[in-house]
Amino acid sequence: MTSPDKQNLTLGSLTLGSLGSIAPPVVLAPMAGITNVAFRQLCREHGAGIYVCEMVMTRALVERNEKTLRMVTFAGDEKPRSLQLYGVDPVTVRKAVEMIAAEDLADHVDMNFGCPVPRVTRKGGGAALPYKRRLFGQIVEAAVQAAAPAGIPVTVKMRIGIDDEHHTFLEAGRIAQDAGAAWVALHGRTAAQRYSGEADWTAIKALKDELEVPVLGNGDIWEADDALRMMSQTGADGVVVGRGCLGRPWLFADLAAAFEGHSERKLSDLGEVMATMRRHAELLASWLGSEREGVVDFRKHVAWYLKGFPVGGDVRRGLAMSSSLAELDGFFAQLDPATPFPTDTLGKPRGRTNSPGKVTLPYGWLDDRDDDTVPAGAEMEDSGG
């Protein structure tokens, strides 16, 4: 068990293989359709850490799918370049990581074993895969071996298990550690929970007590103080932040301040929020090469940015249907920039929430944990949400 003294000594200390110390010990979780070059740059402008690109499929990468190759691009000043892979076939995973190493596509590879989306789990991927312990170990080992000559650290992200009857995180953590993973990140929910209920931080503590490699905690970090509380309660070496930063990229400034021991937190008024919204849209337009495409892609973020602010329905709809920066500016002009941040939204869930449900799995998936057969059609041909 990690003692309080050890927790205090290690709080804020995280290393990533040959890349050295990561300060603050914060990782942006990959989110489909969200964590592209533009959003990562916006977050980096507010604070440091590891900013992971959207999850990409190993087969799509190896076959040089055009959309996938665009997803694995990084800004020139983005260091380290962190790329998350999804794969179910050890052979394809090895080829993908060899390609990443040979073509210098990334500095860090994170393996996704936590996605609960049906299109992923029904093929045996994501959060379903650690149940097949031999196949899971072969995949992690293939990635680590392929990355080693280039000095690229490989990490693993996973969930507690498929459901309450099929927990896999402790055994999977040991397997990943033995295969050479640089760290293991645990989302404190099962696949069946999806994004419902509360994350179980006791599972993160149990995994930390079990492993020698760093353990990162994920789930229900809505504010910077949640990150400190998680690390204090679990002994985790770092945190992974996902939905908490939607519409609030400045959360990373709060996290940096928190890990430096400062108590101040950013409460942006509506004027500052509008400036951030416009910056986000501009970055998307630049990345996509078209103002219209950038603003259209930005639409999904409007509700997150304006959560809790007293903004009328007409303006909200107008912003969410805009196709140019001028249109955004026109609707912004109708709002009072001095409107204070809605503090009643602090500590509340953001982004998608849903109900728990039965996990869709390949036929006979639960019959034999040691069966390492790759499910037919498991390797997806394209990436993205």
Side-chain angles (χ1 to χ4, degrees):
M1 180 178 295
T2 306
S3 69
D5 288 342
K6 182 179 179 182
Q7 287 180 10
N8 291 334
L9 287 171
T10 60
L11 189 66
S13 175
L14 176 66
T15 57
L16 179 54
S18 60
L19 298 178
S21 178
I22 305 300
V26 174
V27 177
L28 168 65
M31 291 179 279
I34 305 294
T35 56
N36 49 41
V37 170
F39 186 72
R40 297 198 308 271
Q41 181 173 340
L42 187 65
C43 292
R44 289 190 297 113
E45 289 174 358
H46 289 275
I50 298 285
Y51 295 94
V52 188
C53 74
E54 300 172 74
M55 180 181 77
V56 299
M57 313 304 181
T58 51
R59 178 179 172 184
L61 183 62
V62 169
E63 296 185 356
R64 296 186 176 277
N65 175 276
E66 184 177 349
K67 176 183 176 183
T68 297
L69 291 177
R70 184 169 185 80
M71 288 169 61
V72 301
T73 58
F74 294 88
D77 62 347
E78 197 166 352
K79 294 289 182 181
R81 299 164 300 162
S82 183
L83 186 157
Q84 190 182 72
L85 286 179
Y86 160 93
V88 181
D89 181 358
V91 174
T92 307
V93 168
R94 183 182 295 274
K95 290 179 180 177
V97 179
E98 287 175 344
M99 175 180 170
I100 291 167
E103 300 182 20
D104 189 27
L105 298 180
D107 306 305
H108 162 224
V109 170
D110 186 53
M111 300 299 301
N112 182 294
F113 300 104
C115 182
V117 175
R119 83 183 274 257
V120 169
T121 60
R122 74 163 50 97
K123 294 177 179 292
L129 206 148
Y131 184 79
K132 297 291 191 179
R133 50 194 169 200
R134 290 183 58 188
L135 181 60
F136 172 76
Q138 291 166 14
I139 290 171
V140 179
E141 186 173 308
V144 170
Q145 290 178 352
I152 298 174
V154 174
T155 58
V156 165
K157 186 170 186 286
M158 60 186 185
R159 287 193 172 221
I160 291 174
I162 293 174
D163 51 34
D164 286 340
E165 286 69 49
H166 302 91
H167 284 193
T168 55
F169 71 103
L170 290 176
E171 183 177 36
R174 291 191 296 268
I175 292 171
Q177 175 177 268
D178 292 346
W183 75 42
V184 177
L186 179 65
H187 184 151
R189 288 181 172 88
T190 63
Q193 283 181 271
R194 301 175 190 174
Y195 296 94
S196 68
E198 295 184 358
D200 180 5
W201 291 1
T202 65
I204 298 168
K205 183 182 188 316
L207 186 63
K208 173 61 183 173
D209 291 344
E210 184 75 18
L211 302 185
E212 296 297 324
V213 297
V215 170
L216 281 68
N218 178 214
D220 296 354
I221 297 178
W222 311 116
E223 309 298 336
D225 292 334
D226 294 332
L228 298 182
R229 187 164 53 88
M230 173 188 276
M231 293 181 68
S232 176
Q233 290 180 8
T234 68
D237 301 281
V239 296
V240 180
V241 178
R243 294 174 294 157
C245 70
L246 295 176
R248 290 193 313 167
W250 56 85
L251 176 60
F252 293 100
D254 283 349
L255 287 160
F259 282 111
E260 290 172 0
H262 304 306
S263 60
E264 68 270 14
R265 302 292 180 261
K266 188 170 180 60
L267 296 175
S268 299
D269 61 27
L270 187 52
E272 293 173 305
V273 171
M274 289 189 289
T276 303
M277 293 172 74
R278 198 182 198 286
R279 172 66 173 156
H280 193 168
E282 290 171 349
L283 289 170
L284 282 168
S286 176
W287 176 59
L288 293 171
S290 160
E291 180 177 318
R292 187 181 190 283
E293 286 187 46
V295 175
V296 169
D297 191 81
F298 172 74
R299 292 173 179 174
K300 68 171 76 81
H301 297 271
V302 169
W304 295 325
Y305 276 110
L306 298 181
K307 182 179 176 68
F309 279 103
V311 176
D314 289 344
V315 174
R316 286 179 182 270
R317 282 189 295 273
L319 288 167
M321 296 177 66
S322 293
S323 300
S324 70
L325 294 172
E327 285 185 69
L328 290 179
D329 290 339
F331 289 110
F332 288 151
Q334 300 178 42
L335 302 176
D336 179 2
T339 304
F341 186 85
T343 56
D344 59 334
T345 65
L346 295 174
K348 303 287 182 62
R350 305 178 72 85
R352 58 182 163 180
T353 56
N354 47 29
S355 301
K358 185 176 176 62
V359 182
T360 306
L361 300 168
Y363 178 77
W365 188 252
L366 300 177
D367 293 347
D368 182 1
R369 294 201 63 193
D370 291 316
D371 180 5
D372 59 3
T373 304
V374 177
E379 288 290 326
M380 298 186 187
E381 300 177 8
D382 61 84
S383 303

